Amino acid sequence: MERVLRRTDRHHSAGVATLRPGEPPESLLARADLALYAAKERGRNRIAAA
């Protein structure tokens, strides 16, 4: 059986954060999540830092 590859447009956005001294992991993830939403608001294929 021959496979047919289809081109699909994919878009990626990311939110990144650096762990601060003494910061709990939940806080790090919350800041990264907020940064992700900020990246998505700016459009496709964006990265935002917390």
Side-chain angles (χ1 to χ4, degrees):
M1 178 183 272
E2 183 178 330
R3 288 187 180 193
V4 177
L5 299 178
R6 288 187 233 166
R7 181 190 161 140
T8 57
D9 292 326
R10 294 188 177 132
H11 306 283
H12 303 281
S13 295
V16 296
T18 301
L19 185 64
R20 296 173 179 164
E23 180 179 31
E26 296 82 8
S27 178
L28 169 70
L29 292 175
R31 291 188 304 107
D33 192 50
L34 288 173
L36 171 60
Y37 284 103
K40 287 184 174 196
E41 286 180 10
R42 293 180 188 143
R44 295 178 176 167
N45 301 321
R46 303 290 179 167
I47 298 173

